[in-house]
Every structure is written in structure tokens, then in C-alpha cells.
Amino acid sequence: MRIELEKRPAYSALFSMLSPFIALGLTIIAGAILFTALGKNPIDALYSFFIEPLTELWSLHELLIKAAPLILIAVGLSVCFRSNNWNIGAEGQFIMGGVVGSIVPIYFHEWNSFIVLPLMLIMGMIGGALYAGIPALLKTRFNTNEILSSLMLVYVAELFLDWLVRGPWRNPEGFNFPESRSFNDSAVLPELFPASGGANMGIIFALIATLLTWFMMRHMLKGFEVSVLGQSARAGRFAGFSSTKMIFFAFLFSGALAGLAGISEVSGAIGRLQPDISPAYGFTAIIVAFLGRLNPLGIFAAGIILALTYLGGEAAQISIGLPDKVARVFQGFLLFFVLACDTLIHYRVRLVTAVKARTEGEGAS
Amino acid sequence: MTDQQPGHGNCLLEVRGLTKVFGELRANDGIDLEIKSNEIHALLGENGAGKSTLVKMLFGSLEPTSGQIFWKDKPVRITSPGQARALGIGMVFQHFSLFEALTVAENIALSMDQDVSIEGIAEQAAVLSREYGLPLDPHAHVADLSVGERQRIEIVRTLLQNPELIILDEPTSVLTPQEADRLFETLAKIRAEGRSVLYISHRLEEVQRICDRATVLRHGKLTGACDPRLETPASLARMMVGSEVKSVSNAGGTITDEILIETRNLSAPARTPFAVALKDVNLKVRRGEIIGIAGVAGNGQSELFDVLSGEETVPDADDVRICGTSVGRMGISERRLLGAGFVPEERHGHAAVSDMTLSQNMVLARHHSDADVFLTGGPLKIIRYDAVKKASERIVREMDVRMSGEDPVASSLSGGNLQKFIVGRELDRQPSVLIVNQPTWGVDAGAASRIRQALIDLAESGSAVVVISQDLDEIFEVATSIAVLNEGALSEAEPASMMTLERIGLLMGGIHGEDTKVEAQHAH
């Protein structure tokens, strides 16, 4: 016996809209089962995971700090995914954005000027974009599968950063800790409301990127081009659009936003380079992009929800003594349920028995 | 046919009240059909009349919603193609399922239920192909064979199962006239052996020529059963279409000497192993002229369309000229700016994006040529959907596009209506050059005559038109001169009035692949 997916002749628009919410509901139910199995009271656990982080002002700031990179990356990825280019390496582009953006504050660590920060941000975007340009180049020149090449480049970026902060960029006054110099004040992203918490300008960048990308996809010919080429390369060619240029546009665009997220995180939340600058933001952002239905406005909301799982993971560690890997489990649940809901809305499951499968196999021959 | 008791006469297959419902659509609605032993039975109907649905139910690939099938007077439920074959029903599909990289014998072996050695099959196939006049080299690779030869593989493969009923789905749509004649001889032999044939077609003259009886479908319903030889083409057409199809009037405009489309010794290598290379194509189309390019599918039609439209460019700019400008290296958008319009063969995923609305599909083809109306905001290129909608409403009105809702997605339109929109989208610009590939493929007769008339009117108003088509009736209906594309080479265009079917058939290469086959046999 095997399981087959059969395309539904028509699918429900209502369920299609509700799908992310159904997925969230199912994630919470699965979470409750998980907590029960671990011997915790599911209500308490869910409360400390999902509600507690929202009850205090400082943790709301933390929420924005975590949400900003997720949204920035996911908004870029949404354009890439819509054009049918599968950039899985945003994590690497995030890291390279952080690295390239840090060149100025590390080599010119005594330079105090209002121009330092904009320069860092621009260099971060360029770093991320160029790094994303590698899989684009490989895809257009050698027809390489971009999923594999972009994913593998993540590990290259991680090791490169590791080597930098242990080697040439290690802080000479840092007692041999694997860290760069701390950035000076003019290289640190300003906080929004310093009185109440640490949320920085990153979330503003995320908001601007969301609105501009939404406008582009909704109203501009460029957005139309992205959708056309994503749905049919042949029709795109008929329209006079170039698939090759689109591959570069999509990768450079998403790479630049991931790079911006990277340098914002390094400059705003960390203040220096260290071996580990991202709790897998680049991968989680893939979930954010799909949970937000590849729509920038939806992604903004989805980014905040996924940021909550990071805080929930920390809270679960502190208040109920579960490992913070629980957060990753939740993220996994969520992606699984989002994809499953979308699939089941468009397809129905059919069980094919062995006998029937055999005769049908003959029929196909 | 009201009696519920079957079994009178010598029916091989009988169908009572067969119905198939897809959602809201009754694709087949209470169909009755009787196929006697020893006859060639025609199933007539336009595209979308429900012929394929009926046949799929007979062959077990679809299950009927209601109704009963009798095989030799016994009620049967056919739930799979395997079961249909076991009963003695064989089918030759319109779209072949062959592996191009394998040989003929290997392809046949793949479809056999029993284990037989490839050599054994090759021998059997050779015997059968001799008996039935289907010349075929069992060791040839499918990729090297013409469409007609590929069809022979399918027929031989079906005959190897020794069926009593053979279903042929639109077999001549891919054949030259000569190849079709050969097929008819084979069918006569099959009938002479006491087998029956269910012959699906929408070509009236061949049905009249070879079929003993005909069943006609329209919109999923039975509209007639008759002896086609006692009918006239007009009376058969009425049963198929329901009303008189408006005939196309071709007054013939004035043709001037001004050449609007020209290719000079245009050659283009094949881009994939299975594509066709264009060889020294010389084409001149003057103002007011419609050139029909005939040819069997897969002889370079889409390749020619691509280089004319600019979806593929050529290194030498002078190889293609549109309105006096050398455009060989220009893309499709720049060629559109010169006043050219293009209608590709494939509607879904080429001429239109299926999941996009009509107005979005309007932007698809005209964002560059109509930028001053459709776009605003300078370099931001903001799409003005109000202006786009107005234009697409204009086309819907002009071309009588039937649709549900105000601005539906392209996939919700029927083939004919979407094609009317796609052709209208180009006509609305009043292009001075129009290049169309298979303009009425899979389109109902009403829409087809409307589209053909529009092409003629465009030429009469002073444009140059190229119609690439496999439908010879269509070519004769619209073209002022006719050229034939065969294996990537284009014959010289000759005035339509001087052309005959035989002449076109010869230019198409007569019976395809005959020479190469002889060579192959020598080689063995």
C-alpha cells in the first residue's frame, strides 16, 4: 500500500486564508502534548512559553530585537521564493553581512563619526548581496542547484567568521577570547527607547523593508516580473523578462536584506563580532516567510510570532527547566504544520492498495 | 434506444446511459453507444465535446459516475487499463508514451505484461509491421523517428496484445496526408480480420471515407448516430457544432511590394538534443499577405516562432528583419515596439500565466509597447491597473470572450475563449506584423472561425501575417500563400490558389522517414 496525493479540483479560499492560523493552533496542541510527555503541566508550560514573555516591557523589547532580523531576512526571501529561486543560505548571507559591515569598526576602531554607521550598514548589505551572488552565478553559469550551493555556503561563512575572530580580528586587548574589538559608540545602532529596554533601529529597518517590498510586489512592474517568472519562465520570456537577470535580482535582493539584518544584529544587539552571532535566524526566517504566505505584511506578523518562540525557549529554560532546544522543536512543528496545511488544502490523500497500484502501473506503461 | 435489455445483434461493446460528472460539469451525459464486430466506428465531436472522457471510461482510466458498459453482451466494470486490455480493448493515444532514448523493441517490451526477450519482441514486431503495412525498424531509436513512425510503434504495440477493439484517438492530427492514407489501409486490414476500431476524430472527410458508422457528441451529449457515408459534411458538421458555423470570408486585400517580415538564410542550431535546427530559412511576407506555414508537428515550428518573436535571438542581426529593421539580436519587447505582435502555440504558461487574471495577462504582453498608458511613476514603473482593466475589457468586448466574473484568472476560461483573448490582445494594438503559431489548436469551431476571420481582416487592413499551423484546412482558409516546414527547412512560398493537398504532402516529406528506414535496414 502506498499513499498518493491527488490534486483537488477546487480548493477552499477560506481554508487557504485560515491555513497559518490552523497551523498555529496545531503547533500549540502538539506543544501541549510534548510538555505533557515531558511531565510538565501543559497549561503552565504553554503560559511561560507564549504568554509570559509578553507581560513585561523589557521582554517586549527583546521580542522586537529578535523579530527584526527574522522579518528583514524573510521579506527578502519572499521575493526570492516567489520568483522560484530557492535561497536556503540566508544564514550565511547574514553572517557575511555582519563580517563585511564590521570591517570599518574593527580596522578604524578609533574613528568616531556620524558616517560610520551608514557606511557599516551599506557595506553589510553589499557583503550579504555579494555572498548571495555566488549561488546565483553558479546557477546561471553552470546550472547548479541553488538549494545545495546556497546551503553549503552557510557553513563556509560560519567557519570564515570563526577563523576571523580567533585569528586576524581577535581583540588584541581581549585576553585571547575569540572576539573582535568592541565597537565604539558611533558604530553601535541606536536604541529606540533607551529608558525602557534595548530594542534598536533594526525593527525600523524591518518595517521599512516590509512596506517597500509590499509596494514593489503589489504595484510595480518589477514585482509583476517576479511573479510571472516564478510561475512560468516561458511566459516570462514571452513578456520579455530575463530569467537570468531575475535570478541575480532575487539573490542579490534577499542577500542584501539578510546582510542588513546581519550587520544590524552585530552592531545593535551584540556590539562586536564573536564566533556565534545568530541563533539560526537565517533558517528560521524560511519558516517566517512561509507562515507569512510570502506576503511582506504577513511576514511582519509571522516574524513576531517566531521571535516569541525564541523568547519562549529562554523562558522555558528558566522557569520550567526545559532545554532551550524546545524553541527549535516548536519552530519545526510550526513549519511542518504550515506546509502540511497548505498541502492538504490543495491536495487530498489517497491510499492506493498494492493490487490497484499494480494494475495502474500497467496502465501507465 | 430505450430498451434496457442489451444483446440484440452482434454488439462487441455497448454503452448505456454513461455519465461522468466533474464537479459542476457533466462531461458525459447519458451516452449510448454500440460498436459491432467488424466495423470502424467513428466518434465525432469538437474539442471539449467529451470524446476523450468517454474513451477514458471505456479504457478504464476514468470511472463512470453512472451508466453501464456491456462487453459482448455481458455487463462489465472496467476499473483499470490493465483490465481493459485483458478484455480485449487496446488503445492508441493521441500523445504517445515512448522513451526517446530507447529502441522501438525496448519500448514495446516495456508495455508487455509477460516477460518476453527483446529479440522475441523485435521479431514479433517485425512480423506484425509487415502484415499490416506498418514499416518499422525494431532496432531504431525512437528519438530518430518521425511522428508517423512513432504512431506505428503505438499501433504495433497495441496489436501485439491481440485486441478485439482498438481505440484510436485523433490519429491523423500528426500525420501527413500520405501517412494518413497508409494508416487507413492498415485500419481496413484490421477490420478485415474481424476486429473493430473506434476512431475518434473531428475531421469529417476522413470519417466519411473510412468509417462504417458514426456517433456524434456535442457538449457531452449524444447528438446523433448515423452512417457517415449517407451524410454530407455539412450535415455532420451541424450535428457536431449545433448550428451553422459562420464561414470565413476571404476577399483578399491588396498586397503591396513592401516587405514587412523577412528572414535571410536564417539558421539556428538545435538548443536541446530533441529540438530541431532551422536550416537556411528564407521567408518574405509583404504588406497585406498571409503566409501559411504548414508542416507536421515537431519539424521546427516552435523553433521558427521563437526566432521570429525574439524569444531566441540569432548572432547576425540581418538574419531577421521586421518592418525594415534588422532585429536578429533584439529581444521580444523591442520587436513589439516596432509594431510586431506574437501569439505562441501554448496558451497556458507561454501566452498567458494560468493563475493570473486577464488584466495581469494584459500587462504580460504589453507592458513595454503600451508603457505610456499602462505604467506610471517613471523609473518605478507602477502598473496602472485601471487603464489595464479598461484595455482588457475592450478586448473581451471586441472578441466576444465569454467568461464568468469581471476579471477572472486565465485558467478559468475555456481554451477557445482564452485564445480569443490572447489573439485579441495583439490585434488591439493593430500590429503591422503578426506571427501566430497554431492559432486555433484545441479551440471550438465558433471561436476558430472568429479568430481566422480576425487574421484575414488584419491582413486586409495592411499588415503582414504569418500563420504556422498543422491544420491544412485552416491554412487553405486563411493563407494567400503557403510554405511548408520540414525538418527545419522551409519550402518556397507558393500562392495558395496553386497549392493542392498532394503537393503539400510531398513537401512535408511525403511518408516520413521512409528513406532513413531503408538505410537502417541496410545497416543491419
Side-chain angles (χ1 to χ4, degrees):
Chain A
M1 197 177 78
R2 69 194 150 89
I3 301 168
E4 264 189 5
L5 287 178
E6 198 177 67
K7 201 163 174 87
R8 292 179 196 269
Y11 62 90
S12 156
L14 177 72
F15 271 95
S16 184
M17 216 176 67
L18 288 179
S19 154
F21 300 99
I22 300 171
L24 266 180
L26 289 171
T27 304
I28 289 172
I29 293 169
I33 295 171
L34 175 81
F35 288 135
T36 314
L38 289 169
K40 310 285 174 190
N41 179 338
I43 305 283
D44 289 351
L46 283 174
Y47 177 84
S48 61
F49 201 93
F50 282 115
I51 310 292
E52 217 180 323
L54 298 174
T55 53
E56 282 182 70
L57 200 53
W58 71 268
S59 59
L60 285 176
H61 275 270
E62 287 302 308
L63 190 69
L64 294 184
I65 290 175
K66 298 267 191 277
L70 288 176
I71 295 167
L72 270 174
I73 301 169
V75 162
L77 288 182
S78 73
V79 171
C80 208
F81 293 165
R82 273 207 186 277
S83 73
N84 203 17
N85 286 299
W86 300 96
N87 179 4
I88 308 299
E91 178 79 359
Q93 293 138 29
F94 177 95
I95 292 170
M96 289 314 262
V99 167
V100 175
S102 302
I103 290 174
V104 172
I106 287 175
Y107 281 108
F108 306 95
H109 54 95
E110 281 166 358
W111 184 22
N112 265 302
S113 163
F114 70 94
I115 206 153
V116 170
L117 198 56
L119 198 61
M120 286 167 63
L121 295 175
I122 289 168
M123 285 177 69
M125 290 173 79
I126 292 173
L130 287 182
Y131 204 60
I134 299 172
L137 185 71
L138 293 175
K139 182 176 181 180
T140 51
R141 287 300 280 275
F142 305 109
N143 210 10
T144 319
N145 183 318
E146 77 274 23
I147 298 177
L148 295 177
S149 57
S150 63
L151 176 63
M152 291 191 293
L153 283 167
V154 171
Y155 308 113
V156 177
E158 280 175 351
L159 294 171
F160 180 63
L161 170 65
D162 198 80
W163 171 74
L164 276 179
V165 293
R166 288 174 202 279
W169 285 11
R170 189 174 53 198
N171 186 357
E173 293 130 42
F175 309 104
N176 264 345
F177 277 105
E179 285 174 0
S180 77
R181 280 177 194 283
S182 293
F183 296 176
N184 70 38
D185 287 347
S186 68
V188 170
L189 212 56
E191 292 174 353
L192 283 179
F193 311 104
S196 59
N200 57 42
M201 292 291 288
I203 191 70
I204 302 295
F205 297 154
L207 187 64
I208 293 170
T210 300
L211 292 176
L212 290 182
T213 307
W214 173 82
F215 184 81
M216 176 183 83
M217 293 302 292
R218 183 68 184 263
H219 292 290
M220 282 164 59
L221 188 66
K222 194 75 198 172
F224 179 76
E225 186 181 339
V226 169
S227 310
V228 168
L229 284 169
Q231 289 179 51
S232 165
R234 192 83 207 270
R237 209 170 54 172
F238 178 69
F241 301 142
S242 155
S243 288
T244 308
K245 284 184 192 158
M246 180 50 66
I247 293 171
F248 276 104
F249 174 79
F251 271 89
L252 295 184
F253 183 86
S254 61
L257 285 184
L260 178 63
I263 187 59
S264 301
E265 178 75 7
V266 169
S267 150
I270 306 173
R272 62 173 172 268
L273 272 186
Q274 58 193 39
D276 190 8
I277 60 172
S278 163
Y281 283 135
F283 293 117
T284 309
I286 298 171
I287 309 175
V288 174
F290 280 104
L291 188 64
R293 320 242 77 187
L294 301 184
N295 175 329
L297 303 180
I299 284 170
F300 197 87
I304 290 180
I305 291 169
L306 263 298
L308 190 56
T309 63
Y310 278 114
L311 293 192
E314 284 170 16
Q317 208 173 0
I318 296 162
S319 56
I320 50 177
L322 286 177
D324 68 343
K325 292 284 178 288
V326 171
R328 301 292 285 276
V329 174
F330 261 93
Q331 292 168 4
F333 277 154
L334 200 51
L335 180 64
F336 175 81
F337 285 122
V338 168
L339 296 179
C341 285
D342 282 356
T343 305
L344 291 177
I345 284 166
H346 288 94
Y347 295 86
R348 66 171 145 242
V349 178
R350 211 162 58 103
L351 295 178
V352 184
T353 55
V355 181
K356 208 173 168 205
R358 211 179 72 82
T359 51
E360 279 187 8
E362 285 165 11
S365 64
Chain B
M1 296 209 191
T2 47
D3 55 333
Q4 288 302 304
Q5 272 306 309
H8 52 282
N10 50 348
C11 275
L12 182 65
L13 179 93
E14 187 170 354
V15 163
R16 297 261 158 187
L18 209 60
T19 299
K20 178 72 190 175
V21 182
F22 294 111
E24 308 246 306
L25 176 79
R26 298 179 83 82
N28 271 188
D29 194 354
I31 305 288
D32 296 328
L33 171 72
E34 281 176 21
I35 300 172
K36 299 197 169 76
S37 330
N38 221 354
E39 73 167 356
I40 301 182
H41 192 112
L43 185 58
L44 268 172
E46 286 195 278
N47 292 300
K51 292 171 300 192
S52 299
T53 307
L54 176 57
V55 165
K56 278 183 187 155
M57 289 192 284
L58 296 181
F59 197 57
S61 17
L62 275 180
E63 219 164 313
T65 312
S66 65
Q68 183 63 54
I69 301 172
F70 299 92
W71 177 253
K72 295 180 182 169
D73 301 339
K74 285 191 204 68
V76 285
R77 261 189 77 223
I78 305 174
T79 53
S80 74
Q83 199 191 341
R85 273 200 295 270
L87 284 174
I89 301 175
M91 173 137 187
V92 177
F93 288 94
Q94 188 178 3
H95 301 287
F96 311 142
S97 41
L98 298 170
F99 292 96
E100 301 210 333
L102 299 183
T103 67
V104 173
E106 286 166 341
N107 266 290
I108 295 174
L110 277 172
S111 69
M112 303 292 282
D113 293 344
Q114 315 86 5
D115 280 336
V116 193
S117 73
I118 300 270
E119 271 314 306
I121 284 176
E123 250 165 62
Q124 278 187 38
V127 169
L128 272 178
S129 68
R130 258 200 311 280
E131 262 174 39
Y132 289 93
L134 297 163
L136 202 58
D137 172 12
H139 300 289
H141 283 95
V142 172
D144 302 331
L145 299 182
S146 73
V147 182
E149 287 172 301
R150 292 179 195 203
Q151 189 180 54
R152 286 180 219 152
I153 305 176
E154 293 273 1
I155 295 175
V156 166
R157 164 150 115 172
T158 309
L159 284 171
L160 273 174
Q161 314 269 357
N162 198 21
E164 289 174 74
L165 173 66
I166 298 175
I167 303 172
L168 290 160
D169 192 1
E170 302 266 0
T172 54
S173 61
V174 292
L175 301 183
T176 65
Q178 283 87 345
E179 283 177 321
D181 284 342
R182 258 233 155 113
L183 173 70
F184 298 154
E185 284 169 28
T186 305
L187 294 183
K189 269 196 195 116
I190 290 173
R191 172 175 55 187
E193 291 179 340
R195 303 177 205 265
S196 299
V197 175
L198 180 59
Y199 187 88
I200 302 160
S201 183
H202 63 267
R203 293 192 178 167
L204 304 173
E205 70 287 355
E206 51 184 57
V207 166
Q208 286 194 298
R209 203 169 125 198
I210 62 163
C211 295
D212 304 300
R213 288 194 311 137
T215 298
V216 189
L217 297 185
R218 183 171 76 233
H219 299 320
K221 289 204 176 87
L222 193 75
T223 54
C226 60
D227 180 342
R229 281 171 286 212
L230 302 178
E231 302 285 330
T232 63
S235 66
L236 283 174
R238 236 188 336 269
M239 277 192 258
M240 256 172 70
V241 182
S243 59
E244 301 282 345
V245 175
K246 225 175 109 210
S247 63
V248 174
S249 73
N250 196 346
T254 44
I255 298 173
T256 68
D257 284 337
E258 193 187 347
I259 295 170
L260 295 185
I261 311 167
E262 189 179 5
T263 69
R264 293 179 193 161
N265 299 327
L266 170 67
S267 295
R271 290 185 307 277
T272 68
F274 300 121
V276 178
L278 294 175
K279 296 164 201 145
D280 286 332
V281 172
N282 282 297
L283 178 72
K284 282 194 177 75
V285 195
R286 291 166 295 172
R287 190 182 282 283
E289 202 171 20
I290 301 183
I291 291 217
I293 296 185
V296 173
N299 271 293
Q301 282 90 342
S302 47
E303 287 83 355
L304 178 63
F305 179 85
D306 284 355
V307 290
L308 290 178
S309 70
E311 287 178 69
E312 292 295 331
T313 53
V314 287
D316 187 349
D318 288 331
D319 278 2
V320 185
R321 293 169 67 84
I322 289 177
C323 300
T325 311
S326 297
V327 297
R329 283 199 291 256
M330 285 186 185
I332 189 167
S333 292
E334 290 156 293
R335 296 188 195 195
R336 283 192 177 111
L337 279 187
L338 292 171
F342 306 99
V343 178
E345 173 181 5
E346 194 63 47
R347 286 184 280 279
H348 291 287
H350 192 175
V353 180
S354 309
D355 289 341
M356 287 191 165
T357 63
L358 288 187
S359 52
Q360 284 174 314
N361 275 302
M362 191 73 188
V363 180
L364 186 78
R366 290 176 51 176
H367 62 89
H368 204 67
S369 55
D370 295 54
D372 50 339
V373 186
F374 288 176
L375 299 180
T376 179
L380 287 182
K381 295 194 179 172
I382 295 163
I383 301 171
R384 292 183 51 196
Y385 274 109
D386 51 338
V388 176
K389 274 207 179 92
K390 217 179 272 170
S392 82
E393 278 161 15
R394 188 169 65 226
I395 289 162
V396 165
R397 232 178 10 251
E398 279 292 311
M399 292 300 287
D400 185 29
V401 179
R402 315 264 171 88
M403 57 196 202
S404 59
E406 203 182 309
D407 192 12
V409 294
S411 59
S412 72
L413 266 66
S414 74
N417 281 308
L418 182 57
Q419 187 71 359
K420 281 194 279 188
F421 180 81
I422 290 166
V423 173
R425 182 173 71 184
E426 304 303 325
L427 295 177
D428 182 61
R429 287 175 48 215
Q430 287 159 340
S432 44
V433 163
L434 185 68
I435 292 158
V436 197
N437 193 3
Q438 319 295 356
T440 60
W441 176 81
V443 162
D444 61 275
S449 84
R450 175 148 201 137
I451 289 169
R452 289 173 193 162
Q453 188 65 57
L455 296 177
I456 291 168
D457 294 346
L458 180 71
E460 280 172 6
S461 73
S463 302
V465 180
V466 176
V467 176
I468 305 172
S469 178
Q470 292 165 51
D471 184 342
L472 294 180
D473 299 339
E474 171 167 271
I475 297 242
F476 276 109
E477 211 167 301
V478 301
T480 51
S481 33
I482 298 174
V484 175
L485 193 61
N486 179 33
E487 293 179 356
L490 189 70
S491 73
E492 199 160 320
E494 297 175 34
S497 50
M498 319 259 288
M499 273 288 194
T500 60
L501 271 180
E502 286 67 39
R503 172 110 184 93
I504 291 184
L506 286 175
L507 290 170
M508 281 175 173
I511 296 181
H512 258 281
E514 208 66 334
D515 304 339
T516 50
K517 215 212 109 245
V518 174
E519 280 165 31
Q521 272 174 348
H522 281 298
H524 284 290

